[in-house]
Structure formats: C-alpha cells, structure tokens
Amino acid sequence: MTDRHHLLVHGGTFAAVGDGGDISGVRGGSSPDGLFVRDARHLSRWQLTVDGAVPEALTPVADGDTARCVLVPRGGRNEPPAYTLFREQAVAEGAFVEALRVTSNRPTTTTVRIAVTADADFTDQFELRSDYRTYAKTGVVRQRQVLDDGVEFSYRRGEWQSRTTVTSEPAPDGVEETGTGARRLVWTLDLEPHGSAELALRVAARPHGASHAPRVPASPAAANERLLALEGEFAEGVPFPTGWPELAAACARGLSDLAVLQVPATGPDGEELRVPAAGVPWFLTLLGRDALLTSLFALPYRPQLAAATLPALAATQAVEVGADTVAQPGKIVHEVRHGELAHFGQVPYGRYYGSVDATPLFLVLLGAYTERTGDVALALRLEPNARAAIGWMLDHGGLTSRGYLVYRADGGGLANQNWKDSPGAICSADGSRPTGPVMAAGAQGYAYDALRRTALLARTVWGDEVYAALLEQAAADLRDRFQRDFWMSEHSFPALALDGDGRHVDALASDAGHLLWSGLLDKEYGELVGRRLLEPDFFSGWGVRTLASGQPAYHPLSYHRGSVWPHDNALITLGLARYGLHDEARTVAHALVDAATAAGHRLPEVLAGYGRDTHAEPVPYPHACVRESRSAAAPLALLTAVGGA
C-alpha cells in the first residue's frame, strides 16, 4: 500500500493508519486512511496531540495485525523528551481499539494534556477513488452527541442510517468542538516521577443494515488474541512442505491472510456464511471471480471456503435481465457492495454482473468440490443453480449463437469483463483495442472445463445421462472450434481474444496459460504454449508477464499489459503441471516463492513487470492491494502443482 499507510484487517473491517497511528482523512492519494466497514469510512480523523503539538514517531508503525509505535514530543538533542508515548492499535469486526500509555522521563511530577481529535464522515469508498467523480446527496443529516465517556457521530439520508461511537476509559475530561465537525477528546494527566498513565479508547461502528452492535475488544491485545486464534485454527493441519521452507512460509502467510479476509455473506436459505473477500483496501467484499479462484486454489487444504462461496453465489445468481447491472438469468454475480451509493443506485455495484467468467468458474468449482470431497449434498442442493448457469452460457453467454462466451463493454461499469478488466487490457500487439463484442480466450477455457465437470455431475449425481451427453458434445465442439479459430500459426500461440468479426486480437498474453489449466488445448499445442511462456519476453524471473515484452502494447507498470500477477501465475503453474511440463512449473513456482520471500513471505495482488536480470528485487506495482485473497491462496496452488520441489 502506498502513502505510508498501514493496514489492519479483520473480516469486513479494516483500518489504514499512518506511521504515528493517526488518521488524517485526506481524500487525495491512491489509498485514503480511515476505519472502513461495509464500504463506508466510519472514522475519518483520529489525530493525537500532546500539549497541543503532534508528536513525532520514534518507532513508526510496522506491518502486522497490531499497529504499534513509539512517539515523543518534538525537540532537539539538548532538550530530551519529557515523556514517551507508547501507542497500540487493532481492529475487530466493526471495531477499532487503541491503548495509549504515557510515561514520564522526569524525576518530578509532570502534567500532560492529551487530546484525540475524532471524526466520522461516513464517506462511501467510491467517493474516495481518484477518478474525480462526484455524487449528489440530498437530505443528509449529520449529528454529534457528547456522551459521558466519549462522543457519537451519526449520519442519516432517508432510510440510510449509520453511526460511530467513540468511548474511553478513563472518560475524557472534556469533549471540545473544533469548528470542522470533528470533536476533540481531552485528558489532563498528572504523572508521578517516571510514572505512567494509560488510556483505553474504543470505536464501535454501526453501518446501515447491521443486525447487532459489534463486540468491541477490551484492548488491542484482546483483539490480537482473537486474530491469532482465528489464524491458527485456519492453518491447522495443512501439510506444509518440509523440504522447501520458503514455500511453507508463503503458505502459512497466505493462510493467515485468508483467515482474516473472510467477510459475511448469506446463503439461499438465509444461512450466515463467511466467504473470501477480494482484497484491501478497495475490494473488501464478495467478488465472484476472486472468491471462486481463491476457493479453487485452497480446495485441497481448506474446502470450507468452497462450501461457503458456492451457496453465497447461488443466493445472488441473477434471475432476470437488468440493463444497469448487466444481469441475465443464470449469471453469477461479479461484485456485491453494501455502501450508500450502491443502496441508492448511484453506482451499479450493489449486485453487479459484469463478468463473463464468474459463471463458468462457479460450475468448475462445484464440480471440483464434489470430486475432491465426495460431498454430493451441495451438488444436489445447487443443481437448479448449476443448470441455470449452463443455460446462461448457452443462451445469453453466447455459446449457442456465437460459438463462444462473449461480452460487450458496459458504459456504466466495466469495459472488459474477463479477469483482465481494466480499460485497454484486451488489445492487439500494437495496443489497439477491439470494438464491439469480445470473445476472450481464457473464458473459453473456463467454459470448456465447466461443461465437462457439469456433465460429470449430471451423470454421477443428478442421474441425467441425456443432459450429460449434451454437455460433453458441447465441450468437444468448443475445443475443436477454439483451436481452429484462436490459434495464430505465425506465432504458434493462441490469440488473446477474437473481436466481433472473428478477427484475432493478437497480443501475446499470459491468458494462454489459463487454457492449460482448463485443458482446452490438445497436447501438442499445450506443450508449445507452456514452453513459450518461459521465454525471456514472457518470464521476468519473478513470474510470467501478463503481456510479453517487445510488443508496442507492453508496459511494465501497466495493470494488465506487462505486470506479473501471482494468481495468474498460479493458474499457469497448475496448467504446466497438467500438461507434464514439470520443470517449467517448478521454474514459475520458484520465481513466485522468491518474490514472496522478498516481501515477508506475502504475495501482493500484482508486481511490476521489470526483469530479475536488471532488478535484483521485485518492483512493486504502485496501486496493488497488499492483502488479496487470490494471491494469498496462490502458494497453496503452487504446493498442489509442484509439491515441495
């Protein structure tokens, strides 16, 4: 994360604080600070002053589940600090807690005036993005109520209501107005010679729609105990490779992140579930594609992720056409949002269906889960949803009419609706973009796998031999068409996509590796593709680039046109292993593990595409999610693909 913010995450709650533990509320930058719950900022200022001045960080906040820093009054070498402040912060579901200890460094009694300026602007995350969009809000009412032990901020817009409560122990001596809407909590502390005093501050967020008040931990230590217990339980029993300690460490780090990145969701019968969120700071919510791939990577080790993700997505499956949300019957949701703007329809993402590949991936996961666990109950329960998803692929998805899954740019949402969903991500080698309908290569691989796996479910679980044969024939026909229409003989490589007229979108892209994972290519073509992905223009030394260098469209700091994505590489590694290219699979796996090792064993969402031959350390992508579920699960996919080699 950029801008020197440090992330604290637990479920659907995260806080981003500065080096000294403060929250400034500044809107600029790539990632704003604050306390966020269900897409809204419930704490927009949290600023500590001592005797009217901001202290400086002697030991700044370091990465971790708890934010700890040491602060002192500003001064010079000849004026040693009169006192030292030890600050500790943590989050829980819907809560933020801080323990502040002030210790005198003097042999005489010292009086210190501590103040914490707090505010809650309840800004929707979409308002904080740097895309210069503004949203009208009429009839908004904001209130601040002083409590015996703190202050409560509330926000109302029609039926939409949210509030944030700040309390402390001991209670503040006073709560002052600041002229900006913020409130300043103040304490006057008398410190004995070399004595200490402690403040315990607690913040409880009640977002709109919350069914109950959050359980606020008594202290950061108590919050950290909850997190450690959760992380330990989630990682328990996973067979880490003993002969490859770096991969074992990456798996352990990834499991810890997955443990805290699970957010609440609801199943078809209203049951409460916990599903993988996409990532922080911008996507701490259910994204269909991300949750499905994360669950697939983790399936051999943590099948409960799939067991929750599948019914959660079934519950949000589209049942009718929605022009604004790109919904069509049987389609699996791309993104679910709970914020104010989504509630009032000012952004289309309350339930947004702009994904061409979440629907086939839903079927892939359902088939893989049933095969892996032997649990047929879920496949039986979700049979209507699976059949509806097949119906979408054949009908609205385009398999019957166009021969391929197809999408069209959504003017109010996403232009590209495959995994490379940034503007311009689907392009020719020269950088030009296709117009009209797009048939992305990777999505056809997912469709092929979905048809085959669902055919197996139809035959072995649902007892429908006729339906199984229909799906198997559709899969075989898709495979034949794809190799005829997508293969670029001059490159011995598949096109990134076809445009609406069936012409090649001819960029050489990593999506070809997804075709290996899906098994769409025959053995000869698959081996050619697998070896080509390890050539220097594709392979950076830290992984396979999304776009091979040397093409005019390539840019090492582009989101999807030259960067290195860990989850993309995990799919490629699984695909290489599937086609018997085990040396190549190990090469990619070792590159990713080395990248994780260089960053404390954690893989980010995306890395820059600079080569290892010229850059001895992986170069970060400037706007990457630091904790991202697909990347957290990627080491588990590597373990599946290559074992402990």
Side-chain angles (χ1 to χ4, degrees), residues 1 48 69 126 230 277 351 465 614:
M1 192 170 181
L48 173 68
C69 60
F126 282 92
L230 180 67
R351 284 189 183 179
E465 178 63 37
T614 57

Side-chain angles (χ1 to χ4, degrees), residues 8 246 376 622:
L8 307 172
E246 294 84 4
V376 299

